[in-house]
Each structure stands twice: as structure tokens, then as C-alpha cells.
């Protein structure tokens, strides 16, 4: 498992996503300043600060929004904020509605790209467990507010046989599991299904978790290295001839 995971980790999620999108034929633009979805403050009930942060983000993103460029979210919590909560927080700002309409996950973007007949520079993935095997921990925000089926479609197209972990939240939930008095509950949640599934997985199985908090919980609870879909896709890019 270690050798294959090392290959997947050659490009961390952000850089891996850029390589993946460029391989698909896109030019990737980054915001021309600091941006934040505001989740840090939203999760602790600081709604005024959340709105202030989102307005600053919209100010930076405005030229890109006017151009109609898709916004690809890599972190599920941030993506859900931009796909759902932003218009509830800033209902009178038309830019917020543009963000909501333009934001997609990497899985959603890639699946649609493939369905539309776009260039597909990926081969099928082999692991030490045989034809690609993946254990998928779906982030609880994506599970409750989003749709993981596009990610599964992409994995299938990469030749990866996916098994989605049940049991919901990994137990860390942002910073909740780090707070005093929460550790035992956090670990109990992880032990419901996530940790046992990872320990029982065949050697070489990819542990897929798009959420940073999920990957942190997996590493601390099992010692396994969780990876992002972008890293899996990057590992499947066919070498140029």
C-alpha cells in the first residue's frame, strides 16, 4: 500500500487538481487575492464575520464571475458553503447567486466533461490490491447537501472499484474533535465503521477522502494515508507519447 500511496501523494490536492485540469485541456486561473468561504466563522455562529468574509471574497472573484468561469471546489465543506449557504447569507447580492450557480466539485466537473465528450487523458488505475480498489469516506457535508455519484462515475471510468463507507461523519468534524471533552466521542464515531473498514481493507486499497478533516482523522485513527480524488486522477494520467 505504501508504495502506491506514495505515487498518489506526488501532487497534493491543489497541485494535483491543476495538473488534472490542465491535462484535460483547461487553463486554470487562481483568484487574484485572498479568498475564503467563511466556514470558519459560520461553524461557530459568527454570521456577521461570515458575511464580511464572503463579501471580500466576492470582491476578489467579481471579474471571474462576470466571465462566467466555473468555480471548482476541492474541499467539500467550502464547496457546500458556496453551493448552498452563500445565498442564504447574502440573498440580495447577485454575485452570491453567480457563485452558487458556477460552483462544482472536481467530480461533478470531470464527470460532465467526460459525458460531453471532452478529452480524457486518463488510463485505468492498478493497485497492489489488483484492478483499482478504493474505500471512500464521503464528507458529511457532501453527504447531507451534495451528491457523490459524479465522483463514483469518475472512479468507475478510471477502473476503480469503489466501496463507500457508511456511518456518516468521520468524527472529527472540523475542529470539533480537537476540542476538550470531545476526543472520546470523536474516536467512537470513527470506530463505528470508518476505522474498521480501513483496517480490514486489502493491502493497496486506496483510502479516498476529499475532506481535510476526514484525512486527518483517518491518519490519526488508523495510520493510513487518505487521498483526494484529484490525487487519484493525477496518478491515472497517461504518460505523453
Amino acid at each position: 500500500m505504501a508504495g502506491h500511496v506514495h505515487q498518489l501523494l506526488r501532487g497534493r490536492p491543489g497541485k494535483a487538481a491543476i495538473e488534472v485540469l490542465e491535462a484535460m485541456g483547461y487553463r486554470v486561473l487562481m483568484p487574484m487575492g485572498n479568498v475564503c468561504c467563511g466556514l470558519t466563522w459560520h461553524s461557530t455562529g459568527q454570521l456577521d464575520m461570515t458575511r464580511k468574509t464572503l463579501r471580500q471574497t466576492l470582491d476578489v472573484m467579481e471579474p471571474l464571475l462576470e466571465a462566467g468561469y466555473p468555480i471548482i471546489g476541492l474541499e467539500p465543506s467550502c464547496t457546500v458553503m458556496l453551493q448552498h449557504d452563500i445565498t442564504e447569507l447574502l440573498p440580495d447580492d447577485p454575485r452570491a447567486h453567480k457563485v452558487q450557480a458556477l460552483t462544482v466539485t472536481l467530480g461533478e466537473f470531470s464527470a460532465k466533461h467526460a459525458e460531453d465528450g471532452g478529452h480524457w487523458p486518463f488510463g485505468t488505475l492498478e493497485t497492489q490490491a489488483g484492478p483499482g480498489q478504493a474505500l471512500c469516506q464521503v464528507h458529511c457535508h457532501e453527504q447531507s447537501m451534495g451528491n457523490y455519484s459524479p465522483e463514483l462515475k469518475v472512479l468507475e471510468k478510471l477502473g476503480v472499484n469503489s466501496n463507500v463507507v457508511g456511518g456518516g461523519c468521520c468524527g472529527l468534524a472540523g475542529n470539533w474533535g480537537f476540542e476538550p471533552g470531545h476526543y472520546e466521542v470523536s474516536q467512537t464515531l470513527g470506530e463505528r465503521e470508518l476505522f474498521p473498514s480501513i483496517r480490514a481493507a486489502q493491502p493497496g486499497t486506496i483510502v479516498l477522502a476529499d475532506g481535510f478533516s476526514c484525512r486527518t482523522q483517518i491518519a490519526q485513527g488508523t495510520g493510513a494515508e487518505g487521498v483526494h480524488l484529484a490525487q487519484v486522477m493525477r496518478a491515472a494520467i497517461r504518460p505523453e507519447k
Side-chain angles (χ1 to χ4, degrees):
M1 181 175 181
H4 185 69
V5 169
H6 178 72
Q7 178 190 1
L8 293 178
L9 292 175
R10 283 175 58 195
R12 291 291 180 177
K15 290 184 177 180
I18 291 173
E19 291 186 51
V20 163
L21 291 165
E22 288 180 341
M24 290 163 65
Y26 295 97
R27 178 187 175 204
V28 180
L29 300 177
M30 303 297 289
M32 294 74 75
N34 293 328
V35 294
C36 177
C37 72
L39 180 66
T40 304
W41 295 276
H42 188 264
S43 62
T44 54
Q46 300 178 67
L47 299 186
D48 287 342
M49 187 61 187
T50 305
R51 293 187 184 96
K52 179 181 179 182
T53 302
L54 285 171
R55 289 190 185 99
Q56 291 174 343
T57 294
L58 292 173
D59 288 343
V60 172
M61 295 285 290
E62 192 161 0
L64 302 176
L65 297 176
E66 290 178 355
Y69 295 132
I71 301 167
I72 299 176
L74 300 180
E75 175 60 38
S77 291
C78 301
T79 308
V80 169
M81 278 289 293
L82 299 180
Q83 287 180 323
H84 297 279
D85 300 284
I86 190 170
T87 52
E88 294 182 9
L89 291 159
L90 299 173
D92 299 324
D93 193 327
R95 300 174 302 173
H97 292 271
K98 283 187 179 181
V99 166
Q100 184 183 59
L102 293 170
T103 300
V104 292
T105 66
L106 179 64
E108 288 171 330
F109 186 85
S110 301
K112 188 174 187 309
H113 172 87
E115 289 170 4
D116 291 344
H119 175 57
W120 192 252
F122 311 102
T124 55
L125 209 57
E126 293 284 332
T127 71
Q128 293 174 13
Q133 302 288 324
L135 188 66
C136 306
Q137 167 63 19
V138 183
H139 192 283
C140 55
H141 282 182
E142 189 168 17
Q143 194 132 229
S144 61
M145 301 291 290
N147 178 9
Y148 197 68
S149 61
E151 281 75 7
L152 294 176
K153 288 179 181 178
V154 171
L155 290 169
E156 182 180 6
K157 197 166 176 61
L158 298 179
V160 176
N161 180 26
S162 302
N163 180 23
V164 177
V165 178
C169 184
C170 68
L172 189 56
N175 66 332
W176 186 87
F178 290 119
E179 294 175 353
H182 293 169
Y183 177 78
E184 288 187 7
V185 176
S186 174
Q187 292 302 298
T188 299
L189 290 170
E191 289 289 359
R192 287 183 304 170
E193 187 166 345
L194 175 60
F195 295 169
S197 296
I198 292 173
R199 296 184 189 118
Q202 295 178 351
T205 298
I206 299 165
V207 179
L208 184 62
D210 284 351
F212 176 80
S213 58
C214 299
R215 294 196 298 275
T216 301
Q217 181 81 327
I218 286 167
Q220 293 187 348
T222 69
E225 291 263 22
V227 296
H228 192 282
L229 176 64
Q231 293 166 285
V232 177
M233 294 180 71
R234 187 218 170 279
I237 294 175
R238 292 190 297 265
E240 292 184 4
K241 295 181 180 180

